[in-house]
Amino acid sequence: MSIEPFEIPSIPTERLALLKEKLKNAEYPNELEKDVGWTYGAPRWAVEPLVNTWLHDYDWEKSRAEINRWHHYKVTIQGLRIHFIHEPSNNPGSIPLLLINGWPSNFYEYHKIIEPLRDGKNGAQAFHVVIPSLPGYGFSDPPKVPGHGAVKNGEIMNELMTTIGYNEYVIHGSDWGSMIGKWMAINLPSHCKAYHTVMPVCIPPLPTPKNLFSHPLTVLKFLASIALGFDKVYGEGQVILMGRSFADVENDREAGYRAIQGTRPYTLAYGLTDSPVGLLSWMLEKFHNWTYHSDNKDSQALPETVTANEFLTQVTIYWLTNSMAPSTRLYYEAFNDKIMAQAVADQVKIPTGVSYYKGEITKLAKEWLDTTMNIIYFTEPSAGGHFPALEVSDLFVDDIQRFGKLLKTKEIV
């Protein structure tokens, strides 16, 4: 199994011309005369300026030059060519770190934190940084058969790390990376020695015999919250649920995308694949809704912490690699994966770190997490959202370094 160097490519001339033509001749949908903000989805006033920027100002070659500063490779694992960045540190005592993103992001989410983590910014803990493109995301091959969900991704990510030469490592996961990382933390503890996430998942402390014996007060508090409300029992904003099920649109207005991607990803993919404007708007809604805006969120397309260039680089990677369709299929696989559903309930016994950024889309009470995770590090930064490595990179780097130092102090790694 040979690891081969890889270079992020230019956009082929014909494909770039097609992109420019589609952007130039975009046909925008009908909207209401009244401004309804973002309640119906991404509005034209937010989408059209970014389309024009993509058409007239954005330069993929500049982004490509930045991305190619890092060492890229490809390797075949379970029949798929997997792309990854590998930036080993020169610092003694560095920790192998696997950073896994989710949807609608890609490896570029971590572009601001590669050097600081690799080099041990401010003399703090350094890491051997590995950032993969998940299968079907970016420059990795898309899955070829049904059933390729978070579990299969976890198997591939572990094989990637051991192939590189890291038999023991630490994982950070955001979004789908959180679920993939949790499965790895539960099932591969001989390799995955610690787990850090910004979006932990678990079931609430239900009144099971085990919970009633081990965490009776936590169970009683949860039962009280059902009657009185989460805010009254746990404090305002300490529990934010994504509905009562995977695609509960009645209780979570953000769940619509999960419903369609989890049931009919093929049909949706025609519009997102053929129309770059459709692709951009589908992603923009999430980069707007899921990020932290310090002020005037309804009047901003993106928060001040994410530039148009950074967002358009993410969009361009999806467009160039035609990967929106396979990336959305991960929702279908997860929706139909009983093993992954069980992982939500299972215990994480290895040391775990949780960082809840202010704008994260879901939040569980820490005492819920304590019933199913071995939490040794917990923070609640006052800024950032669902993409903290992109939004507030300094805070994110500090979190990861502090977690890494704690692991070293406890001789876990």
Side-chain angles (χ1 to χ4, degrees), residues 235-407:
E236 186 175 356
Q238 291 303 303
V239 175
I240 305 171
L241 300 183
M242 294 192 297
R244 298 173 183 172
S245 62
F246 185 79
D248 181 9
V249 295
E250 291 184 353
N251 294 290
D252 178 17
R253 299 307 294 266
E254 281 289 328
Y257 81 98
R258 291 197 299 275
I260 185 64
Q261 293 182 179
T263 57
R264 295 294 184 270
Y266 266 18
T267 309
L268 173 69
Y270 287 100
L272 302 185
T273 300
D274 185 64
S275 170
V277 176
L279 172 67
L280 182 152
S281 63
W282 195 247
M283 294 179 63
L284 176 63
E285 181 193 305
K286 304 313 174 192
F287 274 87
H288 171 270
N289 289 359
W290 295 354
T291 49
Y292 174 70
H293 300 242
S294 59
D295 195 19
N296 301 319
K297 182 171 184 175
D298 285 346
S299 63
Q300 294 177 322
L302 295 167
E304 57 274 13
T305 52
V306 179
T307 68
N309 189 83
E310 288 175 318
F311 172 68
L312 290 172
T313 296
Q314 296 255 25
V315 178
T316 302
I317 290 171
Y318 273 99
W319 173 258
L320 173 61
T321 59
N322 192 16
S323 55
M324 182 50 73
S327 74
T328 60
R329 291 201 295 269
L330 185 51
Y331 286 82
Y332 184 94
E333 304 300 350
F335 189 46
N336 294 279
D337 188 347
K338 294 181 180 180
I339 297 177
M340 198 66 246
Q342 182 60 42
V344 174
D346 286 346
Q347 278 199 321
V348 177
K349 296 180 181 179
I350 65 171
T352 300
V354 172
S355 298
Y356 267 133
Y357 288 81
K358 190 173 181 66
E360 182 53 71
I361 56 178
T362 182
K363 188 174 185 181
L364 306 178
K366 183 176 182 294
E367 56 206 81
W368 294 13
L369 302 176
D370 285 332
T371 65
T372 61
M373 292 181 171
N374 176 21
I375 296 178
I376 65 168
Y377 179 85
F378 185 87
T379 61
E380 296 179 282
S382 59
H386 192 61
F387 311 100
L390 187 65
E391 299 175 60
V392 284
S393 57
D394 287 344
L395 292 178
F396 180 83
V397 168
D398 184 64
D399 258 334
I400 297 297
Q401 288 181 321
R402 287 176 182 273
F403 182 56
K405 182 179 179 181
L406 183 59
L407 296 175

